[in-house]
Amino acid sequence: MLPFPFLLRAAPSIARASSWRLRPPALAGSRVRPLCAPAAERITITFVEAGEDVVVEAQVGKSILEVAQENEIDLEGACDGSMACSTCHVVFEQKHFDVLPKPEEEEEDMLDLAFGLTDTSRLGCQIKVAPSQDGMKLIIPGSG
Ligand code: FES
């Protein structure tokens, strides 16, 4: 066994040698992906389906339609998000509606055809889940 003072003096060179083995010189300074990506951020959304609250977890960045379909919520999405129907129509609470990006003209045209249109209606396929929407409630008009 080596004497303790020797180990203290040798520690920096041992650390350097081991870091060379883990990270070869060719990769020094280059961007290296982490071995594991951080868990995708998830929030909680409540869908009001046929008057009943259904609480689901939603991954940030997915559309409301995708989240609904993953959780077997009765939100049809007949055109699969190409804005050729209004079957993904959802109604937002005012506070969450107010911070959404403005709808494109095509979305407004489709919303005009939606059943049960309100002032806070949007197409679920056009709205991406954002961290600020954690805890929001969405009503599905005419469900049930
Ligand atoms: Fe058709 Fe959203 S799924 S407009």
Side-chain angles (χ1 to χ4, degrees):
M1 173 124 186
L2 295 170
F4 183 69
F6 172 79
L7 288 175
L8 283 179
R9 270 184 270 124
S13 61
I14 291 170
R16 271 196 305 275
S18 62
S19 70
W20 275 79
R21 273 194 302 261
L22 293 173
R23 197 170 125 200
L27 293 178
S30 67
R31 293 183 136 205
V32 179
R33 281 188 176 175
L35 291 177
C36 339
E41 194 174 351
R42 299 180 84 78
I43 65 166
T44 301
I45 294 177
T46 301
F47 287 94
V48 182
E49 184 182 37
E52 192 174 304
D53 286 3
V54 182
V55 181
V56 302
E57 274 202 339
Q59 186 176 325
V60 169
K62 288 200 168 183
S63 73
I64 298 295
L65 177 62
E66 290 171 316
V67 171
Q69 290 174 339
E70 284 173 0
N71 290 281
E72 298 177 6
I73 301 292
D74 189 19
L75 188 61
E76 188 176 337
C79 75
D80 228 7
S82 59
M83 277 200 282
C85 72
S86 56
T87 58
C88 61
H89 171 209
V90 290
V91 177
F92 284 79
E93 296 168 292
Q94 189 70 53
K95 69 179 176 183
H96 291 291
F97 178 83
D98 290 343
V99 296
L100 293 175
K102 298 287 176 226
E104 302 279 326
E105 195 177 327
E106 295 91 347
E107 183 181 350
E108 288 182 341
D109 291 345
M110 278 299 130
L111 276 170
D112 287 341
L113 305 173
F115 171 81
L117 186 67
T118 73
D119 288 344
T120 60
S121 290
R122 293 295 296 266
L123 296 179
C125 66
Q126 300 303 307
I127 307 298
K128 300 282 186 209
V129 173
S132 62
Q133 296 167 332
D134 192 27
M136 81 172 166
K137 222 174 212 192
L138 294 170
I139 297 170
I140 303 174
S143 60

